[in-house]
Each structure stands twice: as C-alpha cells, then as structure tokens.
Amino acid sequence: MRSNLKVNIDTGGLKRGARLVVKIGTAVITNNKNAVCDKVINSLASQISTLQKEGFKVIIVSSGAIAAGVHRMGWQQKPKKISHLQAAAAVGQVSLVETYEKEFKKNGLTTAQVLITGEDFSSRKRYLNSRATFETLLNENILVIVNENDTVSTDEIKVGDNDTLAASIANAIQADLFVILTDQKGLFTENPTSSSHAELIQSVHVDDEMLNRVAFRSHSEFGTGGMETKIKAARIVARLGIDTIIASGFEADILLKIKSRNFVGTTILSGKKSKAISARKQWMLNHIKAKGRLYLDAGAIAALVQYDKSLLPVGIVKIDGRFDRGDLVVCMTETGVEVARGLINYSSFEAEKISGLLSEQIEKVLGYIEEPEIIHKDNLILISSSFEDSKTTGANSSKAEQ
C-alpha cells in the first residue's frame, strides 16, 4: 500500500497571477466549535492578503452559516427540520459576513459576498451573469466570498454540497488550483478518527481506485459531506485539468505553503493540462443537475470518444428520466459510468420511441424529424479524462467518475 501513497507531482510553486478557489469547511471556520472563530479567519485573511499582493487571484467558498446561526440563536444543537436550518442560515450568514469583513479589512482587503444556488448553474443566462460578476470582481482585486444560499436552497442543506459548489466555481473561472481546507491533514488510507493505522496519502491520480475506498463520511455535527463530497469535487474540477489539494485549515500559513508546494496534505492530480473550451460547454460541465440519462452501447461510446461524432438514436440502449428538447442529459455506459453530457434534440417521450433506430427511421416513427442526431457533437462534451486518454478501454473503466 505504501507505494501507492504518493505519485510524482510538479514541485514548482504557483506562478504569479494564478487563480485559486479555496473552500473552507465549517470545522475550520468554527475552530471545531459552534461559533465563527475570529482568530482562524484573521489568519486566513493575512495569508490571502500576502497572496493578493503577490498577484494571485483568490475566491473563497465558505461554509459555516448554519453553525454560526445555531450559536447566535442559542440553540444547543443543530436542528433537523429544514425550516429551522434555513432560519439558522439566515441569522448565521450575517454573523459570518461581519466577521469576514472585519478581519479582512484589518489586512487591507476589500470583500464582496456572492450567494449562489443550484439554479445559478442550471440557467445558462444566470450562469453567464454569475461568471461575469466573478471576473469583474477578480479584475478589481476584490476578495470574493461565496456561500450557498442556504435560506432558499433546501437541496444544499440536505446533502451539504458546498464542496461541489466550490468545484463548479473553480471550473467557471478556470482556476489554476482548487484548495479544500478541512480539519484533517488530507486523505488517509483509513479513517484517522478511528484507526491508528491510517496513513496520509500525499498525492493520488483522480482516476485511482484508491479514492473510492477512502471516501469517509463527515464526523462533524455541522459538516455534512466529509471526504466523499471532497473527492466528488476533485473529480469535477479534474474535467478541466485542475488539480485539487486537501489540507488542514489549522496548519500555520497553509495557503502560503501550498503556494510554494511545501505543505502537508493530499494532492489529487487531474492527469491532464487544462484546455480551452467554449463558454457553452463550460456551462454544460458545471450544470449541477441533469434532467435524464441515456445508456449507450459500446459502438455509440466509441463514436463519441474515439471519433468525435454526434450521438445517434441507434446507439441508445435505455433512457431514464423525463426531459424536454434542449435539456441537459448525461450519457452513460451500460454499467452506469458517465461518459459525456449534452443538450438533447428530443424529449424523453420521443427519445424512447426512436432509441435503437437508424436516423432515417425517425420520421417514419414520429411523423416528423427534428434532427438526425439525438445530441449533436457541438452540444456534447466528454466528461472523464480516462475516456479521452484510454479511448475504448477507458469507456468501460470503473475508475471514471460515478
């Protein structure tokens, strides 16, 4: 096992002008207690101030609003009822932002708050507007602090997906590095809270099967994701060639150490260089919730992966979900591995009727034809790096993102 705990990484530091998205977990923000910790935020502010003076661009995605609200409202424990969680988030958000503003102002930083929901990624217009706002703030050297809008976003409260939110923002601004600060030093071979044999994984490839074995759930009262959602987030940013670092937010000067690549933590390597893609396809990658799934046969997968072809109805084996023309759907192998995403030309009702048929049979079955393709190649984007690198072998690999 030891030989798998580290793979070769680039030890050179980040270059001036690099963009970092830093996700800070609730345990770090509260110093493993119930209230926002001024000292922790001041330490992070000092480090980020140094990074900005050196030309780096930083966006923070912060958890902690619910924990701060529970403390301010005098509750003894985190509630379970959604309306109570939303109330705590509304109260705690004020406390959280006040602390950020106060501590960052001490370090000469101007801050901006952006509240995001899943709909800001589902709607292309709202996605583009959000991305334009981020770009403007970064260009003006404003420190952006982002949080899920817990007060109205019930899905986020239920599943605790600030990790995924941060990853989507990293993709949207095409970050150079994605950093997740938690109360652990990184990923371990076993759960470090319960096993004395747990060893730190210094670096690992995003497609390594080891990641499926070390996805431990959160042990914190207010943390709702644990390492499982952090690994999922790392897979999301890897689609654009962005590496992820998971490290302890309690380690002194951790962000400065990460900048110089001299830190204790886990690096999850994307395995490919970032490549420019259109704004439309960036949105498709960041679209949090697809409307349906298409299960494809081996021939269809080969056409998409090896030959950059459009998806034809003949290659569809099964359809799940209900969707309309123009909705985003996920293309899967027959064993359930995600291969690609795309904007579909037919509704689920129509697609079920023509799946498995040749394109020239569409008009005969439906009485009309919208397009000969189910998804045109211009509206389709491959997901996993392993599919692109290993072609048809990768198409059936269990290492691809689930």
mmCIF file of all heavy atoms in Angstrom, residues 149-173:
data_model
loop_
_atom_site.group_PDB
_atom_site.id
_atom_site.type_symbol
_atom_site.label_atom_id
_atom_site.label_comp_id
_atom_site.label_asym_id
_atom_site.label_seq_id
_atom_site.Cartn_x
_atom_site.Cartn_y
_atom_site.Cartn_z
ATOM 1 N N ASN A 149 -26.755 29.719 -0.942
ATOM 2 C CA ASN A 149 -27.840 30.461 -0.316
ATOM 3 C C ASN A 149 -28.727 29.481 0.455
ATOM 4 O O ASN A 149 -29.787 29.075 -0.006
ATOM 5 C CB ASN A 149 -28.645 31.223 -1.360
ATOM 6 C CG ASN A 149 -29.552 32.259 -0.740
ATOM 7 O OD1 ASN A 149 -29.784 32.247 0.463
ATOM 8 N ND2 ASN A 149 -30.068 33.150 -1.563
ATOM 9 N N ASP A 150 -28.263 29.100 1.653
ATOM 10 C CA ASP A 150 -28.954 28.082 2.440
ATOM 11 C C ASP A 150 -30.391 28.451 2.774
ATOM 12 O O ASP A 150 -31.238 27.582 2.982
ATOM 13 C CB ASP A 150 -28.195 27.849 3.760
ATOM 14 C CG ASP A 150 -26.835 27.215 3.537
ATOM 15 O OD1 ASP A 150 -26.663 26.563 2.492
ATOM 16 O OD2 ASP A 150 -25.951 27.372 4.393
ATOM 17 N N THR A 151 -30.686 29.736 2.841
ATOM 18 C CA THR A 151 -32.016 30.172 3.239
ATOM 19 C C THR A 151 -33.085 29.731 2.251
ATOM 20 O O THR A 151 -34.235 29.485 2.632
ATOM 21 C CB THR A 151 -32.046 31.704 3.391
ATOM 22 O OG1 THR A 151 -31.037 32.088 4.326
ATOM 23 C CG2 THR A 151 -33.394 32.178 3.883
ATOM 24 N N VAL A 152 -32.719 29.596 0.984
ATOM 25 C CA VAL A 152 -33.704 29.199 -0.033
ATOM 26 C C VAL A 152 -33.334 27.893 -0.727
ATOM 27 O O VAL A 152 -34.153 27.305 -1.412
ATOM 28 C CB VAL A 152 -33.877 30.306 -1.101
ATOM 29 C CG1 VAL A 152 -34.402 31.566 -0.471
ATOM 30 C CG2 VAL A 152 -32.579 30.579 -1.837
ATOM 31 N N SER A 153 -32.101 27.419 -0.538
ATOM 32 C CA SER A 153 -31.633 26.245 -1.273
ATOM 33 C C SER A 153 -31.699 25.008 -0.386
ATOM 34 O O SER A 153 -30.733 24.649 0.281
ATOM 35 C CB SER A 153 -30.200 26.460 -1.758
ATOM 36 O OG SER A 153 -29.765 25.359 -2.518
ATOM 37 N N THR A 154 -32.837 24.344 -0.372
ATOM 38 C CA THR A 154 -33.019 23.205 0.521
ATOM 39 C C THR A 154 -32.165 22.012 0.120
ATOM 40 O O THR A 154 -31.743 21.246 0.962
ATOM 41 C CB THR A 154 -34.493 22.769 0.556
ATOM 42 O OG1 THR A 154 -34.916 22.461 -0.766
ATOM 43 C CG2 THR A 154 -35.363 23.868 1.111
ATOM 44 N N ASP A 155 -31.901 21.833 -1.165
ATOM 45 C CA ASP A 155 -31.078 20.707 -1.603
ATOM 46 C C ASP A 155 -29.700 20.755 -0.968
ATOM 47 O O ASP A 155 -29.144 19.747 -0.565
ATOM 48 C CB ASP A 155 -30.940 20.694 -3.138
ATOM 49 C CG ASP A 155 -32.195 20.185 -3.808
ATOM 50 O OD1 ASP A 155 -33.042 19.600 -3.114
ATOM 51 O OD2 ASP A 155 -32.315 20.373 -5.033
ATOM 52 N N GLU A 156 -29.116 21.972 -0.900
ATOM 53 C CA GLU A 156 -27.767 22.082 -0.346
ATOM 54 C C GLU A 156 -27.766 21.716 1.129
ATOM 55 O O GLU A 156 -26.845 21.081 1.618
ATOM 56 C CB GLU A 156 -27.239 23.507 -0.553
ATOM 57 C CG GLU A 156 -25.728 23.642 -0.356
ATOM 58 C CD GLU A 156 -25.312 23.763 1.097
ATOM 59 O OE1 GLU A 156 -26.175 24.099 1.941
ATOM 60 O OE2 GLU A 156 -24.141 23.521 1.389
ATOM 61 N N ILE A 157 -28.805 22.132 1.874
ATOM 62 C CA ILE A 157 -28.855 21.825 3.297
ATOM 63 C C ILE A 157 -28.974 20.320 3.504
ATOM 64 O O ILE A 157 -28.380 19.759 4.415
ATOM 65 C CB ILE A 157 -30.048 22.563 3.964
ATOM 66 C CG1 ILE A 157 -29.784 24.072 3.948
ATOM 67 C CG2 ILE A 157 -30.264 22.097 5.388
ATOM 68 C CD1 ILE A 157 -30.924 24.901 4.484
ATOM 69 N N LYS A 158 -29.724 19.666 2.667
ATOM 70 C CA LYS A 158 -29.943 18.228 2.830
ATOM 71 C C LYS A 158 -28.675 17.412 2.560
ATOM 72 O O LYS A 158 -28.395 16.439 3.245
ATOM 73 C CB LYS A 158 -31.054 17.754 1.896
ATOM 74 C CG LYS A 158 -32.443 18.234 2.293
ATOM 75 C CD LYS A 158 -33.473 17.754 1.282
ATOM 76 C CE LYS A 158 -34.859 18.236 1.641
ATOM 77 N NZ LYS A 158 -35.863 17.833 0.625
ATOM 78 N N VAL A 159 -27.891 17.806 1.570
ATOM 79 C CA VAL A 159 -26.743 16.980 1.181
ATOM 80 C C VAL A 159 -25.400 17.627 1.481
ATOM 81 O O VAL A 159 -24.359 17.000 1.355
ATOM 82 C CB VAL A 159 -26.803 16.614 -0.322
ATOM 83 C CG1 VAL A 159 -28.080 15.876 -0.631
ATOM 84 C CG2 VAL A 159 -26.707 17.860 -1.188
ATOM 85 N N GLY A 160 -25.391 18.897 1.896
ATOM 86 C CA GLY A 160 -24.142 19.554 2.272
ATOM 87 C C GLY A 160 -23.151 19.634 1.142
ATOM 88 O O GLY A 160 -22.068 19.064 1.226
ATOM 89 N N ASP A 161 -23.494 20.352 0.074
ATOM 90 C CA ASP A 161 -22.683 20.284 -1.129
ATOM 91 C C ASP A 161 -21.906 21.554 -1.436
ATOM 92 O O ASP A 161 -21.799 21.935 -2.588
ATOM 93 C CB ASP A 161 -23.575 19.927 -2.318
ATOM 94 C CG ASP A 161 -22.914 18.885 -3.199
ATOM 95 O OD1 ASP A 161 -21.757 18.543 -2.942
ATOM 96 O OD2 ASP A 161 -23.562 18.441 -4.151
ATOM 97 N N ASN A 162 -21.382 22.231 -0.438
ATOM 98 C CA ASN A 162 -20.515 23.377 -0.705
ATOM 99 C C ASN A 162 -19.239 22.955 -1.420
ATOM 100 O O ASN A 162 -18.615 23.765 -2.110
ATOM 101 C CB ASN A 162 -20.168 24.107 0.588
ATOM 102 C CG ASN A 162 -21.086 25.289 0.847
ATOM 103 O OD1 ASN A 162 -21.804 25.728 -0.045
ATOM 104 N ND2 ASN A 162 -21.068 25.809 2.060
ATOM 105 N N ASP A 163 -18.832 21.704 -1.262
ATOM 106 C CA ASP A 163 -17.662 21.206 -1.989
ATOM 107 C C ASP A 163 -17.929 21.216 -3.493
ATOM 108 O O ASP A 163 -17.105 21.680 -4.293
ATOM 109 C CB ASP A 163 -17.292 19.785 -1.533
ATOM 110 C CG ASP A 163 -16.827 19.736 -0.093
ATOM 111 O OD1 ASP A 163 -16.080 20.643 0.321
ATOM 112 O OD2 ASP A 163 -17.197 18.797 0.624
ATOM 113 N N THR A 164 -19.112 20.720 -3.878
ATOM 114 C CA THR A 164 -19.486 20.719 -5.287
ATOM 115 C C THR A 164 -19.674 22.138 -5.805
ATOM 116 O O THR A 164 -19.292 22.458 -6.938
ATOM 117 C CB THR A 164 -20.773 19.906 -5.491
ATOM 118 O OG1 THR A 164 -20.545 18.565 -5.067
ATOM 119 C CG2 THR A 164 -21.202 19.897 -6.950
ATOM 120 N N LEU A 165 -20.268 22.993 -4.989
ATOM 121 C CA LEU A 165 -20.427 24.395 -5.358
ATOM 122 C C LEU A 165 -19.071 25.029 -5.643
ATOM 123 O O LEU A 165 -18.880 25.708 -6.669
ATOM 124 C CB LEU A 165 -21.130 25.157 -4.233
ATOM 125 C CG LEU A 165 -21.198 26.677 -4.382
ATOM 126 C CD1 LEU A 165 -22.074 27.063 -5.562
ATOM 127 C CD2 LEU A 165 -21.716 27.318 -3.099
ATOM 128 N N ALA A 166 -18.105 24.803 -4.757
ATOM 129 C CA ALA A 166 -16.766 25.373 -4.932
ATOM 130 C C ALA A 166 -16.105 24.839 -6.194
ATOM 131 O O ALA A 166 -15.442 25.576 -6.934
ATOM 132 C CB ALA A 166 -15.906 25.069 -3.709
ATOM 133 N N ALA A 167 -16.289 23.553 -6.455
ATOM 134 C CA ALA A 167 -15.709 22.956 -7.657
ATOM 135 C C ALA A 167 -16.309 23.562 -8.915
ATOM 136 O O ALA A 167 -15.606 23.830 -9.902
ATOM 137 C CB ALA A 167 -15.928 21.442 -7.643
ATOM 138 N N SER A 168 -17.609 23.794 -8.907
ATOM 139 C CA SER A 168 -18.274 24.386 -10.069
ATOM 140 C C SER A 168 -17.775 25.805 -10.319
ATOM 141 O O SER A 168 -17.598 26.221 -11.472
ATOM 142 C CB SER A 168 -19.791 24.381 -9.858
ATOM 143 O OG SER A 168 -20.276 23.059 -9.764
ATOM 144 N N ILE A 169 -17.526 26.551 -9.254
ATOM 145 C CA ILE A 169 -16.988 27.906 -9.395
ATOM 146 C C ILE A 169 -15.556 27.852 -9.919
ATOM 147 O O ILE A 169 -15.163 28.660 -10.776
ATOM 148 C CB ILE A 169 -17.070 28.658 -8.055
ATOM 149 C CG1 ILE A 169 -18.526 28.941 -7.720
ATOM 150 C CG2 ILE A 169 -16.265 29.961 -8.107
ATOM 151 C CD1 ILE A 169 -18.756 29.471 -6.337
ATOM 152 N N ALA A 170 -14.769 26.891 -9.436
ATOM 153 C CA ALA A 170 -13.399 26.729 -9.931
ATOM 154 C C ALA A 170 -13.393 26.479 -11.430
ATOM 155 O O ALA A 170 -12.569 27.031 -12.172
ATOM 156 C CB ALA A 170 -12.701 25.586 -9.193
ATOM 157 N N ASN A 171 -14.311 25.660 -11.902
ATOM 158 C CA ASN A 171 -14.420 25.419 -13.340
ATOM 159 C C ASN A 171 -14.879 26.668 -14.078
ATOM 160 O O ASN A 171 -14.380 27.006 -15.158
ATOM 161 C CB ASN A 171 -15.397 24.281 -13.606
ATOM 162 C CG ASN A 171 -14.758 22.906 -13.470
ATOM 163 O OD1 ASN A 171 -13.546 22.793 -13.295
ATOM 164 N ND2 ASN A 171 -15.571 21.869 -13.529
ATOM 165 N N ALA A 172 -15.844 27.379 -13.499
ATOM 166 C CA ALA A 172 -16.406 28.549 -14.171
ATOM 167 C C ALA A 172 -15.366 29.636 -14.403
ATOM 168 O O ALA A 172 -15.359 30.282 -15.455
ATOM 169 C CB ALA A 172 -17.575 29.114 -13.361
ATOM 170 N N ILE A 173 -14.475 29.852 -13.438
ATOM 171 C CA ILE A 173 -13.455 30.895 -13.593
ATOM 172 C C ILE A 173 -12.149 30.321 -14.129
ATOM 173 O O ILE A 173 -11.170 31.030 -14.263
ATOM 174 C CB ILE A 173 -13.186 31.629 -12.266
ATOM 175 C CG1 ILE A 173 -12.480 30.711 -11.267
ATOM 176 C CG2 ILE A 173 -14.455 32.207 -11.690
ATOM 177 C CD1 ILE A 173 -11.825 31.438 -10.117
#
